[in-house]
């Protein structure tokens, strides 16, 4: 399925309005999606020629031509060809990113072998975990690299770099609750200025040494790799920095849609990046001394202070790209059962993917500040950054090839040839980054392994708890049949009892407990299921569906309440609509009690998981969003009935 959620599926707006909406989405995408990859020129070439590198690249004309050519063709193959032209067509109802690929594989790949599906899903979860690591490293390295421009202006300002960076990051994460639509409107014009500045600086640099344009030929990249492999191989670890943010383009697809992101990349972002890298290369050809800060040295001396301010603003926006991507990954992971139910705020009526996840936001803030104060410079974080990026890209490439072959029936020769070349290219970058493990590349692996362990542990624990819960609940039809026969023996009390449940097939635990232990039932019993539809709002006329369970005079009904993704899931309001729709059902709203089934988890003796994984699963359960708040239940009319399950 490749339909994009570019706008709400309500009656379409007029052509002028559609054009304005499309332009707004492109501007918003520039302000949210491209910040990460768009700020790579600040530090990428400087890292490549860093004399403190354990494997430095000698500065000579051939190496400069070769590296600029390699940067151009790497961005072309990985970002333009793979992500923009290919991967972004593999979406899950408009959502992109590695979790969308996992969903497609789990949904359509089970019939091709459970073991293969599980292995690929696990690999994808590890890739998602690496992306979460990228989401922590990107704000730290991006903002640090821009604020370090102060040292170019005046070396004495060095002591202020870390404190200023920390303040900027706190403000950025504090602003997230406004939503990506508001952020995009604010940041979009800034990023347009940024990319135009990149292009102008690059053209100025090229004017000093126009021979750099020869680097557009792939022959220079091939000659650099083949003729200087002992240098080029280690340099690949830093070349990765030029396409950081490629996965964010894909993960953020649900926020702005494929066409908006594609237009922004082709028309503005890619040309601006290419011109700037070539301008920096020309500056280094003109004087090897320029390698100390080729980006800031492209500007005249009078323009370096304003450029530092603009670069700082751009790197704040770079952080936004991976932050919103992390929201998407966490949201999809929660829906797939790899994370608990999280509180998610939808912030747009036009894009279902524009969300804010508070728990992820504050977890990222603490992690980013920890990295800033621990590493204290962008150079120290550079190698950690590359491993997170290329690890995720390699896994996405593998999963995409599987989807293309098994779901889309792409010819085997095409998948093996095209996918094999892309994988080989990515594996070469990955191998180069493994040489930097002791220099910082271990960090994203540790973060990734930790996040992966949490997610697979939650998924396994959830399977155990769900199986036990279903066993205890039992079929709803069977329970109602027993109730008709007088088992359990209950006394009827006036009023309405509402039991929230996932469907109409099983008996809610709270209902069982109320009848089997309290031996009471209310005159009217409502089993209510809440569903979220892929539209912003559901009309009140289509909100609820009411049907009887058993004989009409037994007073037991099932209500399905449907909500759009922008709407609060207000159960009492749905009950009022149900009463108006079915006045003969005996719903007494003034005397309504809401029952929630909660599970208290504890470690048990059964060998379902290792003891440490049981403790991790129970600890993770504490971040689950509160159900009463989520469903707008009045606290003084809500009864929480607990049940204990051993893991």
């Amino acid at each position: 399925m490749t339909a994009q959620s570019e706008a709400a599926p309500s009656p379409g707006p007029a052509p002028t309005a559609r054009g304005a909406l499309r332009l707004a989405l492109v501007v918003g995408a520039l302000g949210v999606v491209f910040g990460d990859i768009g700020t790579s020129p600040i530090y990428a070439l400087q890292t490549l020629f860093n004399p403190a590198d354990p494997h430095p690249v000698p500065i000579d004309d051939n190496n400069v031509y070769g590296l600029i050519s390699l940067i151009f063709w790497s961005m072309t193959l990985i970002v333009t060809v793979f992500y923009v032209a290919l991967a972004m067509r593999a979406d899950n109802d408009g959502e992109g990113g590695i979790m969308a690929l996992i969903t497609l594989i789990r949904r359509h790949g089970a019939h091709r072998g459970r073991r293969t599906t599980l292995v690929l899903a696990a690999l994808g979860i590890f890739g998602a975990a690496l992306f979460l690591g990228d989401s922590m490293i990107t704000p730290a390295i991006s903002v640090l690299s821009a604020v370090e421009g102060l040292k170019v202006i005046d070396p004495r300002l060095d002591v202020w770099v870390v404190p200023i960076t920390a303040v900027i990051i706190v403000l950025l994460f504090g602003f997230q609750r406004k939503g990506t639509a508001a952020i995009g409107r604010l940041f979009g014009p800034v990023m347009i200025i940024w990319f135009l500045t990149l292009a102008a600086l690059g053209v100025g640099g090229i004017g000093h040494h126009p021979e750099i344009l020869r680097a557009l030929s792939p022959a220079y990249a091939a000659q650099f790799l083949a003729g200087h492999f002992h240098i080029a191989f280690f340099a690949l670890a830093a070349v990765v920095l030029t396409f950081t943010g490629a996965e964010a383009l894909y993960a953020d697809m649900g926020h702005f849609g494929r066409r908006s992101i594609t237009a922004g990349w082709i028309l503005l972002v890619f040309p601006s990046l290419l011109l700037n890298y070539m301008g920096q290369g020309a500056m280094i050809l003109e004087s090897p001394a320029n390698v100390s800060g080729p980006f800031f040295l492209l500007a005249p001396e009078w323009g370096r202070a304003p450029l530092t301010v603009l670069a700082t603003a751009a790197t704040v926006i770079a952080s936004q790209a991976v932050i919103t991507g992390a929201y998407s990954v966490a949201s999809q992971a929660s829906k797939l059962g790899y994370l608990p139910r999280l509180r998610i705020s939808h912030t747009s009526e036009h894009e279902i993917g524009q969300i804010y996840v508070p728990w992820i936001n504050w977890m990222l803030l603490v992690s980013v500040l920890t990295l800033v104060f621990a590493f204290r410079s962008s150079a120290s974080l550079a190698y950690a950054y590359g491993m997170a990026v290329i690890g995720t890209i390699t896994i996405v490439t593998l999963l995409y090839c599987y989807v293309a072959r098994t779901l889309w029936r792409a010819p085997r020769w095409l998948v093996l040839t095209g996918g094999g070349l892309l994988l080989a290219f990515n594996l070469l970058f990955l191998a180069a980054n493994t040489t930097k493990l002791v220099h910082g590349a271990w960090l994203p692996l540790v973060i990734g392994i930790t996040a992966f362990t949490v997610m697979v542990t939650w998924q396994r624990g959830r399977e155990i708890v769900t199986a036990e819960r279903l066993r205890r609940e039992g079929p709803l039809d069977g329970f109602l049949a027993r109730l008709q026969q007088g088992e359990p023996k209950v006394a009827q009390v006036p009023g309405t009892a509402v039991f929230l449940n996932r469907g109409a097939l099983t008996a809610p635990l709270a209902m069982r407990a109320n009848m089997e232990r309290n031996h009471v039932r209310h005159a009217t019993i409502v089993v209510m299921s809440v569903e979220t539809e892929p539209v912003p709002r559901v009309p009140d006329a289509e909100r609820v569906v009411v049907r009887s369970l058993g004989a009409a005079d037994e007073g037991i009904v099932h209500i399905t309440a449907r909500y759009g993704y922008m709407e609060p899931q207000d159960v009492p309001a749905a009950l009022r609509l149900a009463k108006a729709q079915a006045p003969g059902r005996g719903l007494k709203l003034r005397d309504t009690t809401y029952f929630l089934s909660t599970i208290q988890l504890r470690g048990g003796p059964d060998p379902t998981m290792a003891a440490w994984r049981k403790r991790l699963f129970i600890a993770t359960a504490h971040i689950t969003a509160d159900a009463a708040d989520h469903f707008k239940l009045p606290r003084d009319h809500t009864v929480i009935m607990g049940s204990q399950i051993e893991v």
Side-chain angles (χ1 to χ4, degrees):
M1 185 173 186
T2 57
Q4 301 298 320
S5 55
E6 298 281 350
S10 53
T16 303
R18 283 199 302 268
L21 176 60
R22 177 74 57 206
L23 179 60
L25 286 173
V26 173
V27 173
L30 289 169
V32 172
V33 176
F34 296 108
D36 190 2
I37 197 168
T39 52
S40 298
I42 299 174
Y43 51 82
L45 270 186
Q46 184 176 345
T47 302
L48 273 165
F49 291 105
N50 184 4
D53 191 301
H55 307 98
V57 177
I59 303 175
D60 62 43
D61 288 5
N62 289 332
N63 289 346
V64 172
Y65 282 120
L67 278 172
I68 298 299
S69 182
L70 187 58
I71 288 170
F72 166 59
W73 288 104
S74 296
M75 287 197 300
T76 299
L77 289 175
I78 291 178
V79 184
T80 306
V81 174
F82 176 62
Y83 271 103
V84 174
L86 298 176
M88 291 179 66
R89 296 181 180 274
D91 71 289
N92 175 43
D93 296 329
E95 289 287 350
I98 196 167
M99 296 304 298
L101 288 174
I102 296 172
T103 305
L104 293 175
I105 290 171
R106 285 182 44 168
R107 182 186 300 166
H108 302 289
H111 65 284
R112 295 190 167 270
R114 176 175 171 80
R115 179 175 299 179
T116 300
T117 300
L118 289 176
V119 169
L120 289 173
L123 188 63
I125 290 299
F126 184 66
L130 282 177
F131 181 74
L132 291 177
D134 184 12
S135 304
M136 299 174 189
I137 298 171
T138 294
I141 189 174
S142 298
V143 180
L144 272 172
S145 66
V147 180
E148 284 169 351
L150 293 173
K151 296 188 293 185
V152 178
I153 300 171
D154 187 342
R156 293 173 297 179
L157 297 174
D158 183 32
V159 295
W160 291 99
V161 169
V162 171
I164 291 174
T165 298
V167 170
I168 291 171
I169 287 171
V170 169
L171 292 174
L172 170 66
F173 280 95
F175 194 63
Q176 293 302 310
R177 65 182 183 275
K178 300 295 184 182
T180 51
I183 292 170
R185 286 193 297 270
L186 176 65
F187 286 171
V190 176
M191 288 308 293
I192 291 174
I193 296 171
W194 170 253
F195 286 117
L196 292 176
T197 301
L198 288 183
L201 292 174
V203 169
I206 293 171
H208 287 86
H209 207 106
E211 291 84 355
I212 192 65
L213 293 173
R214 293 185 296 178
L216 292 174
S217 169
Y220 285 94
Q223 182 180 358
F224 180 61
L225 282 172
H228 303 82
F229 189 75
H230 62 290
I231 298 173
F233 175 73
F234 295 108
L236 292 176
V239 173
V240 169
L241 300 178
T242 63
F243 49 84
T244 60
E247 175 62 16
L249 269 66
Y250 189 23
D252 284 338
M253 187 170 67
H255 290 252
F256 297 99
R258 179 171 63 89
R259 285 183 289 178
S260 301
I261 294 174
T262 300
W265 172 255
I266 297 296
L267 298 178
L268 180 60
V269 179
F270 189 28
S272 299
L273 291 175
L274 176 59
L275 287 170
N276 195 267
Y277 281 123
M278 298 190 75
Q280 290 187 52
M283 291 288 291
I284 296 172
L285 286 176
E286 184 179 17
S287 172
N290 290 332
V291 77
S292 62
F295 174 77
F296 290 103
L297 292 174
L298 276 175
E301 188 171 350
W302 58 265
R304 289 171 192 165
L307 180 60
T308 300
V309 174
L310 180 59
T312 302
T315 52
V316 169
I317 298 167
S319 306
Q320 187 63 50
V322 291
I323 292 170
T324 53
Y327 294 161
S328 297
V329 167
S331 173
Q332 293 178 69
S334 180
K335 292 175 184 176
L336 287 173
Y338 291 104
L339 286 176
R341 180 181 68 244
L342 300 172
R343 185 163 69 87
I344 297 173
S345 301
H346 290 270
T347 58
S348 171
E349 296 198 20
H350 300 294
E351 290 294 318
I352 188 171
Q354 290 191 6
I355 58 176
Y356 167 62
V357 187
W359 193 89
I360 295 296
N361 188 68
W362 304 123
M363 183 270 291
L364 287 178
L365 171 60
V366 172
S367 302
V368 172
L369 289 176
T370 301
L371 292 177
V372 167
F373 287 109
F375 285 83
R376 305 188 69 83
S377 74
S378 60
S380 300
L381 277 167
Y383 301 124
Y385 200 22
M387 178 60 80
V389 172
I390 196 59
T392 305
I393 291 174
T394 302
I395 294 172
V396 168
T397 304
L398 181 62
L399 297 182
Y400 175 81
C401 290
Y402 180 82
V403 168
R405 174 62 186 153
T406 58
L407 271 64
W408 301 343
R409 307 293 184 184
R412 186 188 301 270
W413 66 267
L414 180 60
V415 173
L416 290 177
T417 303
L421 288 173
L422 282 170
L423 274 174
F425 198 50
N426 289 334
L427 289 172
L428 189 60
F429 280 107
L430 186 63
N433 273 274
T434 60
T435 66
K436 310 296 184 182
L437 281 174
V438 297
H439 304 288
W442 57 268
L443 176 63
L445 293 180
V446 170
I447 296 173
I449 291 171
T450 302
F452 174 79
T453 302
V454 170
M455 286 193 282
V456 296
T457 297
W458 178 262
Q459 193 263 351
R460 174 58 183 153
R462 182 173 172 272
E463 286 180 351
I464 296 168
V465 171
T466 299
E468 176 61 18
R469 180 167 183 161
L470 290 175
R471 186 190 69 79
R472 293 189 185 186
E473 288 178 343
L476 180 58
D477 290 344
F479 182 79
L480 295 179
R482 286 179 52 218
L483 190 63
Q484 282 182 325
Q485 298 167 6
E487 288 291 336
K489 296 186 182 301
V490 295
Q492 182 169 305
V493 296
T496 300
V498 179
F499 299 91
L500 294 180
N501 205 35
R502 288 164 294 180
L505 299 179
T506 60
L509 284 178
M511 186 170 73
R512 278 188 175 276
N514 199 39
M515 295 186 187
E516 293 176 350
R517 298 182 183 179
N518 296 333
H519 299 286
V520 296
R521 60 151 291 177
H522 288 69
T524 303
I525 296 174
V526 176
V527 179
M528 179 174 284
S529 304
V530 179
E531 298 178 355
T532 302
E533 303 293 331
V535 294
R537 302 184 185 280
V538 172
D540 284 349
E542 303 172 14
R543 174 83 64 208
V544 296
V545 176
V546 184
R547 66 183 183 88
S548 294
L549 297 175
D553 59 353
E554 291 179 355
I556 304 177
V557 298
H558 181 269
I559 298 177
T560 300
R562 301 167 58 246
Y563 289 92
Y565 62 81
M566 276 292 295
E567 297 177 292
Q569 296 185 339
D570 191 331
V571 167
L575 200 61
R576 290 192 291 271
L577 286 174
K579 178 178 174 60
Q581 177 180 313
R585 302 289 185 177
L587 299 176
K588 299 182 183 300
L589 302 186
R590 291 185 179 179
D591 192 12
T592 299
T593 304
Y594 301 90
F595 290 83
L596 290 176
S597 306
T598 63
I599 303 295
Q600 181 181 357
L601 302 172
R602 59 173 294 178
D606 293 342
T608 53
M609 289 191 294
W612 67 268
R613 292 187 70 192
K614 292 181 181 181
R615 290 192 292 270
L616 176 61
F617 173 69
I618 293 170
T620 307
H622 291 301
I623 70 173
T624 304
D626 182 79
D629 287 342
H630 180 79
F631 294 112
K632 311 298 181 186
L633 303 182
R635 290 285 182 176
D636 55 345
H637 286 264
T638 301
V639 176
I640 299 176
M641 305 191 72
S643 180
Q644 183 172 281
I645 291 181
E646 291 186 347
V647 181

